[in-house]
Amino acid sequence: MSRDDFLDLLRRLDGSRTIEDLERETGLDGEAVREVVEPAVVQGLIDEGAAVPAFSPGTAALARLEGLLNHLLEDLVLTGPFWRRILERPQRLHPNVFFGFGLENWFLLSRESELGSAVRALAENADLRGALDDFDRRGRRHDDVAVHAFRSLGATRGDLLRARPLPTTAALIKMLSWWARTDPLFFVATIGVIEERLEAEDEGPAARCPFLAACDRVGLTPGFVEPMRAHARAGAARRHGALSRALFARMPGIDEGTEQSWQAKAHLFMETYAGFCDGVLDHYSDPHRPLLRLCG
C-alpha cells in the first residue's frame, strides 16, 4: 500500500463505512484494508461498527440543560424548607437566618474567581477571553461590596476569612470546584441558572430577588440589606447566563453522551444546592449559635 493510499484510507475512517465500502471506494484489496483497520480497533484507535455520533449545537444543548436545571430548581430547591419559609413566613425567622444566608453565599462568592479560572481554557476566542477576564475583575469588586454588609454586624474581612463555611456549603464548593476543573461547560451552566433566577434585581417586580424582598418584609437593618442589594444589582449586570450562552455558542457541537452525563449531574447539583439552602435554615435558626464559626 502506498503512502497516498494509506492516507486516503485513514481519511475515510469516519464511522459511516464498512470494510466492503472502504474496499470499493479505495480500490484496495479487502485484506489490505483489514490489515490497517483491525489492529487500530484492537488498540482502541477507532470503534468497530460505531455509528456516527449525533451532535447538537451548543446553544440548543444549553437550552435543554437550562430547562432541566430550572425544573429541578423549582422542584427541589424553591419548594424546600428554607425557601418556603423565606417566601411565605419570613417574619417568623430569626435574623441570623438572613445573615447566615448572606454569609454562606459570600463563601461561594469569595471562591468564584478561583473556580472560574478553569473556564478560560475554553475561550479560544480573544474577545471571549477578554470578557471572562473582565467578568472576574468585576466579581472581585463585588466581593468587596458583600463584605460591607457584614461590617454593620461588627465583622471585618479578616473575621470572614477566618470563618468556616457550613458542611453543606463546603460540599457545594468542593463539588463546583471539581466540575470547574473537569467539566467547565456544565459548571458555567449551573452558575448561570442559579444567579439569574435568584439574584436578579431592579428589572421589574417579576425579576425581584426573593431573598431581598423577604429582608424588606421583616425590616432587617439597612446596613446589611443595602450592600446586599448593591451586590444583587451588580450580579444582574454581570449576566452569568449571557456569558454561559456566549461560551456554548462557540462550541462546535455537543454529543448525546455528554448531554446524558449533564442530566445526571444536574440532579446531583440541585440536590446539593437544596442541602446548602436547608443547611442555612437548620444551623442559623438556633439563636444560641454564633454567626461566625471562626477557625483557631
Side-chain angles (χ1 to χ4, degrees):
M1 186 182 300
S2 70
R3 176 180 179 276
D4 289 342
D5 286 341
F6 177 68
L7 293 176
D8 179 52
L9 175 60
L10 291 184
R11 281 192 290 268
R12 296 175 188 274
L13 296 178
D14 60 0
S16 66
R17 294 171 170 88
T18 64
I19 293 291
E20 290 73 20
D21 293 333
L22 294 170
E23 181 181 358
R24 183 178 63 257
E25 293 179 15
T26 63
L28 296 171
D29 179 78
E31 191 61 34
V33 173
R34 288 185 175 85
E35 188 176 350
V36 173
V37 173
E38 290 179 355
V41 172
V42 171
Q43 294 297 323
L45 299 177
I46 59 176
D47 294 324
E48 183 177 14
V52 178
F55 289 86
S56 294
T59 50
L62 176 61
R64 287 191 287 270
L65 178 57
E66 286 182 334
L68 175 59
L69 287 169
N70 276 306
H71 170 75
L72 293 173
L73 184 67
E74 295 282 349
D75 193 46
L76 297 177
V77 178
L78 297 182
T79 60
F82 174 82
W83 281 106
R84 283 206 313 270
R85 299 282 295 277
I86 287 288
L87 296 172
E88 298 171 7
R89 302 184 301 277
Q91 297 90 342
R92 299 184 184 181
L93 292 173
H94 191 276
N96 273 6
V97 173
F98 297 91
F99 300 146
F101 185 67
L103 176 63
E104 299 301 320
N105 272 281
W106 178 83
F107 287 125
L108 288 172
L109 177 67
S110 64
R111 292 161 173 81
E112 189 174 73
S113 296
E114 174 188 344
L115 295 177
S117 61
V119 180
R120 280 196 285 277
L122 293 174
E124 297 180 0
N125 180 281
D127 292 338
L128 189 56
R129 282 200 303 273
L132 286 165
D133 289 337
D134 181 61
F135 184 80
D136 282 345
R137 282 193 297 271
R138 285 184 287 163
R140 287 189 286 272
R141 292 197 298 270
H142 299 156
D143 173 21
D144 293 335
V145 172
V147 171
H148 291 315
F150 297 97
R151 288 180 183 166
S152 67
L153 306 178
T156 66
R157 176 183 285 276
D159 293 330
L160 296 178
L161 292 174
R162 289 191 298 117
R164 291 179 293 132
L166 294 175
T168 45
T169 302
L172 181 60
I173 290 171
K174 289 179 180 179
M175 187 173 65
L176 289 174
S177 177
W178 171 253
W179 282 332
R181 296 193 304 272
T182 62
D183 196 346
L185 280 177
F186 179 77
F187 166 78
V188 169
T190 60
I191 298 300
V193 167
I194 291 298
E195 298 212 8
E196 281 205 332
R197 285 293 302 274
L198 300 182
E199 290 194 2
E201 171 69 7
D202 286 352
E203 296 177 1
R208 203 160 174 243
C209 172
F211 175 73
L212 290 173
C215 290
D216 291 337
R217 287 175 64 185
V218 302
L220 219 58
T221 172
F224 173 80
V225 176
E226 292 311 313
M228 297 297 289
R229 195 185 310 279
H231 171 258
R233 288 174 181 148
R238 292 173 77 202
R239 302 179 65 206
H240 285 78
L243 184 64
S244 64
R245 285 185 277 278
L247 277 171
F248 274 80
R250 287 171 169 81
M251 294 297 106
I254 307 297
D255 63 271
E256 291 180 352
T258 297
E259 284 204 60
Q260 290 173 1
S261 74
W262 285 348
Q263 292 173 9
K265 291 175 182 176
H267 286 80
L268 177 59
F269 168 70
M270 281 301 173
E271 289 170 3
T272 308
Y273 186 72
F276 160 79
C277 295
D278 297 338
V280 170
L281 180 65
D282 292 341
H283 181 82
Y284 293 102
S285 291
D286 185 346
H288 298 100
R289 289 172 174 164
L291 182 61
L292 295 180
R293 302 166 68 241
L294 296 177
C295 300

